[in-house]
Amino acid sequence: MPGTPDIPDGLPDRLGALAPSLGPVRLVAVDGHAGSGKTTFAARVAAALGGAPVVHLDDLATHEEPFGWVGRLRSQVLAPLAAGRAAEYQVYDWTLRRFATSRRIPAAPVVLLEGVGAGRRAVRPALAALVWMELDAAAARRRGELRDGPELAEFWAGWARAERAHFAADPSRPYAGLRVDGVTGRIVRGTVGDPAHGP
């Protein structure tokens, strides 16, 4: 997709060198507004890590509970990985409006958790790193609407309200050790990965 970021130089090596945070796993969250480039960025990091598994929070969310996935994440993903076992979680079908399939996630050295709210309060204790995609909500929404087309305009309006309420109550950005520009892929100055900031 045009305008989505590449990955910062050296980031895959840095993530692989982190201390495990969940059993043998380094769980790395990629958070940001819907449309900020999280999915594409996580896919590129996963590929650079040799195929690291990615858990997509869109698979755990539902129409009725866009942010009500913490219990499912804990029981189906975090608990098995913490025990060094592969996880298997139920995948929500947004067309059928029900959980219809499942996906297996091995207890790999690095597992990426991608989606709005990935760095929320309930998840942060399990994280080795939290990456925030730096793109403001309005620009991210414009990108998402362009991607999804006019038929999902009503969905985006409802989603924007839910996202605003979520981040107002449970912000992730202040806790991100690394912020990445959602357009350029560059590390935002002043965060941990910025060369001027130090290690």
Side-chain angles (χ1 to χ4, degrees), residues 32-147:
H33 297 289
S36 61
K38 298 178 304 302
T39 303
T40 300
F41 182 80
R44 289 173 175 169
V45 173
L49 286 165
V54 182
V55 176
H56 300 285
L57 290 174
D58 283 352
D59 291 344
L60 294 165
T62 68
H63 284 87
E64 294 76 20
E65 295 182 312
F67 292 99
W69 42 258
V70 170
R72 288 186 287 276
L73 179 70
R74 282 176 172 159
S75 63
Q76 298 179 31
V77 179
L78 302 186
L81 294 181
R85 303 192 312 269
E88 186 166 352
Y89 66 87
Q90 298 300 303
V91 175
Y92 186 74
D93 187 308
W94 288 85
T95 301
L96 298 176
R97 301 178 75 99
R98 62 180 175 84
F99 289 96
T101 59
S102 64
R103 182 152 183 265
R104 186 177 183 276
I105 298 291
V110 177
V111 173
L112 296 160
L113 178 66
E114 173 274 318
V116 179
R120 68 193 299 176
R121 186 182 303 115
V123 179
R124 284 196 295 271
L127 298 179
L130 169 54
V131 179
W132 175 265
M133 301 304 295
E134 191 78 353
L135 188 66
D136 69 78
R141 180 175 175 178
R142 286 193 298 271
R143 180 191 279 177
E145 288 177 328
L146 181 64
R147 175 192 66 201

